[in-house]
Amino acid sequence: MNDFFASPSAPPPSSSPPPSEPSPKRRAVRGARVSGRQLAATALTVVVALAVFEAVHTVSSPAPTAGHSGAPPGTAASVSGNSGPAAARGMNVLLVGLDARDGVTAQQKSEFHLGGAACHCTDTMMLVHVAENRRRVSVVSLPRDSLARIPAYTDEKGKAHRSRSAKLNAAYAKGGAALTMRTVEKMTGLHIDRFLPVDFSRFMKTVDGLGGLDVCTDRPLEDAATGLDLPAGTTRLSGGKALQYARSRHVDDQADFGRIKRQQKFIVSFVKEIADDGTLRSPARMAILASVLLPEVTAVPTERAFTVKDMVLLAHDLRNVSLDSLEFSTVPVKGSLTVKGVGSTVVWDAARSAAVFRAVRADQSLTTATAAKPAGQSLTTTAAATPAGHPAVARRNEFVPVRGSELACP
């Protein structure tokens, strides 16, 4: 392993073997070996990011940019239709975890159970709203099996496809980033400002670059499908093992809903790590982290994609946001429904989910969302309604916003 979060003026990292047991709480962020060309590109990225950082100190909601769909080779590349809802207050980011395995080595596939064919679909989808005043971040997870109406689109061969019902995670496979954003915009009534895709390889490299991340569980977790074998307590995971943790959905009877909760806890662990080790406050460190996390410039361009500049500036704005200022939830659901030609799907609660997205559009905390009449009851179960000493836990048909501090490891 080489230090790639060193100062831009530091000499090239050593190629000597790493110690067998690096310190679990080290502050120097470490990562995989990089070539001379990659080092030069990274150094240039840092210099550019620093120059931008000095010139601009705030980030406004980015306007949509023209670009390609971000579809993988062989899939739909262009999408017809309008540009979606108008931008509102704050900034909406669609964070997706892709089942894409380009760059994953044969050893990693064997060790971390990453064999089989990639579906080039979205296994994870989170709508992240950054408040206009940059003092709150709200995250709403969207189950991958949500019943969705995919808008009409035109594929890369010029063939037109009519609107059809499908699982939400199919949108990316059919039309890449553009169709995924249009689908989510139709379902939520929210404009998506930025799209952030993370595939298996970049996920592992990012976690390894941070020297691993802590995850905690009150009981052992095992999943034969992913190879996850996690003891109770707090464990620091490498990139590959963290991917096993984030992907596992067969450790309890909650299936994808249990996985969503673990993914939210993982996001908290990630945010806590980059805050504790100084990355969030260092434009140089953040620029290098962004260069690892974001797709390479030679990859297929993604419409409304994050840039290194975006991430450095946003990190500066969010440097004082605490875990109590992060809130997490899952979109309210009504139940499940088997649809011919689609399979078993998750159906959203129309009234309650609309209330949630109205709160997001109004740049309000998720806890302000209320159910539509005639129910007349609050949609949320807040900390005030939860017995002392018992963190809020959402069942499948409930909407319970939870603070990041409640999901953090002790």
Side-chain angles (χ1 to χ4, degrees):
M1 297 271 182
N2 292 313
D3 288 343
F4 61 82
F5 263 24
S7 165
S9 61
S14 169
S15 59
S16 59
S20 58
E21 293 295 336
S23 170
K25 289 296 183 181
R26 59 180 173 253
R27 289 295 179 252
V29 182
R30 308 178 68 85
R33 289 186 176 88
V34 290
S35 66
R37 179 179 298 178
Q38 289 171 318
L39 282 172
T42 297
L44 178 60
T45 296
V46 174
V47 171
V48 172
L50 285 170
V52 171
F53 185 82
E54 290 299 323
V56 186
H57 292 285
T58 58
V59 176
S60 58
S61 299
T65 55
H68 302 280
S69 68
T75 64
S78 63
V79 180
S80 60
N82 57 44
S83 59
R89 295 174 60 191
M91 176 182 182
N92 295 322
V93 178
L94 191 61
L95 169 63
V96 302
L98 300 179
D99 184 351
R101 309 177 191 197
D102 298 340
V104 177
T105 67
Q107 180 180 347
Q108 288 172 327
K109 288 182 178 180
S110 175
E111 184 176 358
F112 304 122
H113 292 227
L114 299 175
C119 69
H120 289 289
C121 57
T122 51
D123 263 350
T124 303
M125 190 173 294
M126 295 180 177
L127 178 65
V128 182
H129 176 77
V130 181
E132 187 173 44
N133 63 10
R134 300 305 193 253
R135 295 179 182 177
R136 185 187 66 257
V137 177
S138 305
V139 180
V140 182
S141 292
L142 311 179
R144 69 170 197 166
D145 292 335
S146 296
L147 179 60
R149 190 74 184 175
I150 306 295
Y153 67 97
T154 302
D155 64 26
E156 62 177 1
K157 296 181 179 179
K159 181 179 179 180
H161 296 261
R162 294 182 299 178
S163 174
R164 54 163 293 185
S165 295
K167 293 182 180 181
L168 181 56
N169 73 335
Y172 189 88
K174 296 180 181 299
L179 187 58
T180 302
M181 287 187 287
R182 284 188 59 212
T183 302
V184 172
E185 288 178 337
K186 292 284 188 181
M187 296 176 74
T188 65
L190 298 170
H191 175 76
I192 304 301
D193 298 295
R194 282 290 183 263
F195 186 83
L196 178 57
V198 182
D199 61 21
F200 289 173
S201 178
R202 293 202 304 276
F203 180 98
M204 291 189 287
K205 288 178 181 178
T206 301
V207 174
D208 284 335
L210 293 172
L213 287 177
D214 290 335
V215 300
C216 49
T217 175
D218 57 3
R219 64 179 183 83
L221 300 179
E222 295 183 10
D223 187 345
T226 63
L228 178 70
D229 186 4
L230 191 66
T234 299
T235 306
R236 195 162 185 88
L237 301 181
S238 65
K241 293 186 180 298
L243 182 60
Q244 290 176 309
Y245 174 83
R247 293 183 63 222
S248 291
R249 62 197 303 259
H250 302 292
V251 300
D252 52 34
D253 62 357
Q254 293 296 299
D256 199 37
F257 289 88
R259 176 167 69 169
I260 284 172
K261 183 59 65 179
R262 288 188 292 277
Q263 290 169 346
Q264 292 174 350
K265 293 179 68 173
F266 183 85
I267 293 294
V268 170
S269 179
F270 178 84
V271 172
K272 187 175 185 298
E273 183 71 25
I274 64 174
D276 288 349
D277 74 0
T279 299
L280 202 57
R281 292 176 174 273
S282 167
R285 286 173 174 252
M286 197 65 210
I288 299 177
L289 175 63
S291 71
V292 176
L293 179 63
L294 298 176
E296 296 179 8
V297 293
T298 56
V300 179
T302 298
E303 181 181 336
R304 299 181 233 174
F306 257 114
T307 65
V308 171
K309 168 187 170 181
D310 290 334
M311 282 203 167
V312 171
L313 296 177
L314 186 58
H316 175 266
D317 279 356
L318 298 178
R319 66 195 185 281
N320 294 320
V321 171
S322 68
L323 294 184
D324 279 336
S325 300
L326 304 180
E327 53 181 7
F328 295 82
S329 68
T330 302
V331 64
V333 301
K334 189 174 183 179
S336 60
L337 178 67
T338 299
V339 179
K340 184 177 180 180
V342 178
S344 179
T345 67
V346 173
V347 180
W348 293 4
D349 185 308
R352 293 189 168 202
S353 61
V356 171
F357 298 126
R358 280 197 301 271
V360 174
R361 170 174 283 278
D363 201 31
Q364 297 174 344
S365 168
L366 297 176
T367 59
T368 64
T370 55
K373 300 291 186 180
Q377 296 180 344
S378 172
L379 176 60
T380 62
T381 300
T382 63
T386 304
H390 296 272
V393 177
R395 292 190 290 272
R396 295 190 185 198
N397 63 338
E398 291 183 331
F399 176 80
V400 183
V402 179
R403 291 178 179 178
S405 56
E406 295 180 64
L407 300 178
C409 292

